[in-house]
Amino acid sequence: MDEQTRRQRWKELEDRTFEQAGETHPESGEPAVRWLTSEELDELRRDMKEASAWARAELKRRKA
C-alpha cells in the first residue's frame, strides 16, 4: 500500500469514527473522539508499562 492510499484509508477510518461517535465537545465544538498522535501513543504505552511494573511489584510484595 503506497503512502497516498494509506493516508486516504486513515482519513476514511477517522471520518467514520467521528460519524459513529456523533458527539462534539460542548465548548470547542471539536469531535469528542479523535485518534491519538504518535507521541500520545508512545506516552500512553510508557505509562502502561510503568503501571504494569508497579502492579507486579505490588503483588509480589503482598504475597511475601
Side-chain angles (χ1 to χ4, degrees):
M1 184 181 319
D2 66 359
E3 185 64 24
Q4 185 174 6
T5 306
R6 190 176 299 123
R7 286 183 185 176
Q8 179 63 31
R9 179 73 178 132
W10 183 268
K11 181 66 177 152
E12 290 169 5
L13 288 171
E14 189 175 47
D15 290 345
R16 191 175 332 134
T17 301
F18 291 152
E19 290 169 6
Q20 288 173 344
E23 297 178 11
T24 58
H25 190 275
E27 294 176 10
S28 68
E30 292 290 319
V33 175
R34 67 174 177 79
W35 295 101
L36 296 176
T37 65
S38 59
E39 292 83 14
E40 289 171 325
L41 281 172
D42 291 342
E43 185 178 346
L44 178 60
R45 287 183 182 115
R46 192 171 39 254
D47 288 347
M48 290 174 70
K49 260 187 185 175
E50 291 173 6
S52 179
W54 175 87
R56 281 192 302 272
E58 183 66 14
L59 286 172
K60 187 176 181 179
R61 183 188 69 80
R62 289 183 185 187
K63 286 182 179 180

